[in-house]
Amino acid sequence: MELRVWAPAARRVSLRIDGRTVPMAAADGGWFTAVDDGAGHGSDYGFLLDGADPPLPDPRSRWQPAGVHGPSRVYDHTRYTWSDDAWTGRQLAGSVIYELHVGTFTPAGTFDAAIERLPHLVDLGVDLVELLPVNTFNGEWNWGYDGVGWHAVQESYGGPDGLKRFVDAAHRAGLGVLIDAVYNHFGPSGAYAPRFGPYLSGGANTWGRSLNLDEADSGEVRRFIIDSALQWLRDYHADGLRLDAVHALVDRGATHLLEELAVEVDALSTAVGRPLSLIAESDLNDAKLITAREGGGYGLHAQWDDDVHHALHAMLTGERQGYYGDFGSPGCFATVWQQAFWHAGTWSSFRRRVHGRPVDRSRIPGHRFVVCLQNHDQIGNRATGDRLTASLSPGLLRVGAALLLTSPFTPMLFMGEEFGARTPWQFFTSHPEPALASAVASGRRREFAEHGWAEGEVPDPQDPATFHRSKLDWDGRDTDLLALYRALIRLRKTEPDLSDPRLDRVRVVHDEGVLIVDRGARTVIANLTPDPRTLPLTAECLLLTTDPSALLQGDSVTVPGESAVIL
């Protein structure tokens, strides 16, 4: 078989495979190639740059069974037999997403263990399962955003075959799979790609050196990223990608990497005959990302909308620290429900500048905005990783669910949210290098000390207990809350007005702690106050209530305190 590597910084490269050393021939564009008749699926290999030992893992490795510092292993995608030939995919519009972390979703923390929980997700009624990053990272457990092998699957989760079994099983169950992909930085340990060539630029972002997307020799770096993305969709049959923090992808070229990626994903979607979705996490509040290429945009299919989360969270909890300072009023909620962004060419006190631009509501549908009540960032980046169950009453938890799942956006749930999980989801790492482990732990303590947290209150990310206490507790389920989530999702799918993505048809009225959301022929009323409220409103029937004491009588409806009704 032939093995190739891009190493423009090297004068000569040798292949070390199954104990043999094979010289590689230089090819055009900084590539080196070698043919070894004894190599095949399962062969361990690495590359020696200018004769330096030990050999380095392949930047494009598909399999790292011994971890990010170990040898690469040849993986043949054709050896797996798929059983999802009848799968026609899931479009994002009209779907409900469920976000999960493989390592903490089950006690075993593997793809195979997660397969056993797929019936729960089917019964819940979700359509797409979003996996936090599954590419290789340093250590045994991690959120996944410290990944360094962008073409390989984390071995402790089950490796490449394990991911394929999960996607295959999800498709058989009628569920699509999204994969969280991180292309804005390499993790702090095990990133050997920059030893081979100019993968990094001179700039930096929050997490480290930026990727070289527009400087000298950036063409192969861009290809490296796009090939990784296409691999998840083509070879692992994923139905879409969530692209992490795309605002950190600095690209001053005429065609932005995201647009180039969207073009290639559309071509692949045509070839495989099923929808493939690209969802951006962006801090820009700029709908250009999700505007069609014909309209001068990048052509991505959706973006995360943190303004919706912040408006909901601050309104329900009363928190106003940090970036919540601009959010929380009923007027803020009304704005984001009707216009998607709160900061839309307006002042952001957290950033201390004008931020964002308005959304053209007549042209851009709400389903292009993925919104949530909770997600991995908004829980895990709190000092103690506490969920809303730690701060909200049962009534307000239900109100939040009702508002989320009747919104004009694409709703996303975080694992365990649907049954009121009380286990925290904390920041955890398992870096084996003592210096790196100490730096990560001290950095975490220092970050939260600035916000008034005492040193002992912030969990040590390197302590195995931090990881283990973040595992989802399946035994402590609130079955009543779970039944409500099921009912809300079912209602969303049977009442077209409740999933209507036309933002210019949403109307919100707020009056002394009560929100009235007009969703076409359906009305959602949320009473955020502790006292019951009777409103003059004529309706045919109560479709759903979060509190059974709600009463529809004649030309009025009585909504109990901290509850919601759908009419």
Side-chain angles (χ1 to χ4, degrees):
M1 69 174 294
E2 182 184 53
L3 287 98
R4 306 171 69 241
V5 68
W6 184 59
R11 295 184 301 276
R12 59 189 173 89
V13 180
S14 298
L15 168 69
R16 177 77 55 79
I17 186 161
D18 291 338
R20 304 183 302 277
T21 301
V22 181
M24 303 188 77
D28 292 340
W31 285 87
F32 290 81
T33 65
V35 175
D36 188 274
D37 294 336
H41 180 84
S43 293
D44 287 339
Y45 71 102
F47 298 108
L48 291 85
L49 303 181
D50 294 321
D53 236 336
L56 303 179
D58 184 357
R60 288 173 172 258
S61 171
R62 297 174 176 175
W63 197 4
Q64 290 293 128
V68 297
H69 300 293
S72 300
R73 183 168 291 176
V74 175
Y75 180 82
D76 181 358
H77 279 296
T78 66
R79 291 171 62 93
Y80 185 86
T81 302
W82 288 90
S83 63
D84 66 348
D85 290 346
W87 177 248
T88 57
R90 283 283 178 273
Q91 67 172 9
L92 191 64
S95 289
V96 176
I97 303 173
Y98 188 94
E99 185 188 36
L100 69 85
H101 175 263
V102 174
T104 52
F105 184 56
T106 64
T110 64
F111 294 121
D112 289 333
I115 289 172
E116 298 176 9
R117 292 294 180 178
L118 290 179
H120 167 81
L121 302 183
V122 172
D123 187 49
L124 178 60
V126 299
D127 305 279
L128 293 162
V129 180
E130 181 179 313
L131 304 178
L132 268 66
V134 297
N135 54 246
T136 54
F137 52 76
N138 190 35
E140 287 298 307
W141 48 78
N142 192 289
W143 279 18
Y145 296 91
D146 283 338
V148 292
W150 293 354
H151 295 247
V153 181
Q154 177 65 14
E155 190 68 14
S156 60
Y157 291 169
D161 278 356
L163 176 56
K164 289 181 176 181
R165 288 192 297 272
F166 177 84
V167 175
D168 215 5
H171 287 174
R172 290 196 304 271
L175 298 168
V177 178
L178 307 173
I179 292 177
D180 200 334
V182 185
Y183 297 128
N184 50 56
H185 76 290
F186 287 113
S189 179
Y192 292 100
R195 301 268 292 273
F196 287 80
Y199 283 85
L200 301 176
S201 74
N205 56 45
T206 303
W207 306 281
R209 292 276 298 280
S210 299
L211 271 291
N212 173 19
L213 302 181
D214 55 10
E215 297 176 2
D217 296 317
S218 59
E220 289 296 347
V221 180
R222 296 168 72 96
R223 193 70 250 168
F224 175 77
I225 294 171
I226 291 172
D227 286 349
S228 166
L230 295 179
Q231 173 198 243
W232 299 123
L233 302 170
R234 181 190 60 238
D235 300 324
Y236 290 96
H237 291 203
D239 300 281
L241 303 175
R242 180 262 191 187
L243 303 170
D244 182 68
V246 299
H247 49 270
L249 297 172
V250 178
D251 183 1
R252 292 158 293 193
T255 302
H256 194 282
L257 174 74
L258 293 174
E259 182 181 351
E260 185 178 351
L261 176 59
V263 170
E264 298 220 18
V265 168
D266 282 351
L268 178 60
S269 176
T270 302
V272 300
R274 56 189 172 89
L276 299 174
S277 300
L278 292 175
I279 305 170
E281 181 201 19
S282 172
D283 186 41
L284 301 176
N285 278 25
D286 186 353
K288 181 179 182 179
L289 295 169
I290 53 174
T291 298
R293 295 195 305 279
E294 298 91 328
Y298 290 168
L300 303 182
H301 303 92
Q303 67 181 83
W304 277 26
D305 187 344
D306 280 348
D307 281 17
V308 172
H309 167 271
H310 299 346
L312 268 175
H313 182 96
M315 181 177 68
L316 293 170
T317 65
E319 292 184 12
R320 296 293 186 273
Q321 74 276 16
Y323 47 68
Y324 292 134
D326 288 343
F327 298 86
S329 69
C332 171
F333 172 88
T335 296
V336 298
W337 237 242
Q338 296 170 114
Q339 302 180 26
F341 294 145
W342 175 242
H343 293 306
T346 54
W347 179 259
S348 164
S349 64
F350 179 72
R351 298 174 180 87
R352 298 179 64 188
R353 61 174 173 80
V354 171
H355 184 66
R357 69 165 68 178
V359 171
D360 185 343
R361 299 189 300 159
S362 65
R363 191 166 53 91
I364 297 178
H367 65 68
R368 292 188 186 171
F369 299 94
V370 174
V371 304
C372 67
L373 191 58
Q374 304 181 73
N375 67 29
H376 75 275
D377 269 333
Q378 302 302 335
I379 298 173
N381 284 329
R382 296 172 69 85
T384 59
D386 53 308
R387 296 171 179 260
L388 283 179
T389 46
S391 55
L392 285 187
S393 67
L396 288 179
L397 272 178
R398 287 158 170 75
V399 169
L403 290 172
L404 174 72
L405 289 166
T406 58
S407 76
F409 311 111
T410 296
M412 183 180 73
L413 314 180
F414 183 67
M415 60 178 192
E417 170 187 337
E418 73 278 13
F419 56 74
R422 294 189 171 276
T423 45
W425 202 73
Q426 300 175 333
F427 179 66
F428 47 81
T429 55
S430 57
H431 298 300
E433 302 91 342
L436 178 58
S438 176
V440 169
S442 61
R444 187 75 173 173
R445 290 192 298 269
R446 186 168 56 251
E447 175 187 356
F448 283 100
E450 296 173 359
H451 299 285
W453 289 84
E455 181 171 327
E457 294 179 296
V458 181
D460 180 356
Q462 281 289 127
D463 185 348
T466 304
F467 167 68
H468 290 295
R469 77 169 65 95
S470 297
K471 284 183 175 283
L472 197 55
D473 177 13
W474 287 88
D475 295 328
R477 284 175 285 184
D478 180 338
T479 55
D480 289 338
L481 183 60
L482 179 56
L484 174 65
Y485 268 85
R486 288 179 184 141
L488 284 165
I489 293 173
R490 184 167 58 249
L491 191 62
R492 180 180 181 85
K493 293 183 176 182
T494 56
E495 293 288 337
D497 286 324
L498 295 180
S499 59
D500 188 341
R502 291 171 288 187
L503 295 174
D504 55 355
R505 297 196 177 190
V506 180
R507 298 289 182 271
V508 180
V509 176
H510 53 92
D511 178 30
E512 296 182 0
V514 176
L515 296 167
I516 303 174
V517 185
D518 181 4
R519 301 286 282 123
R522 302 291 174 249
T523 301
V524 181
I525 303 175
N527 181 3
L528 305 176
T529 75
D531 302 315
R533 292 287 299 275
T534 299
L535 306 171
L537 194 66
T538 302
E540 294 181 2
C541 65
L542 274 173
L543 295 175
L544 185 146
T545 175
T546 65
D547 186 319
S549 63
L551 179 63
L552 178 62
Q553 189 171 24
D555 58 358
S556 68
V557 59
T558 299
V559 186
E562 297 187 347
S563 75
V565 299
I566 303 172
L567 304 166

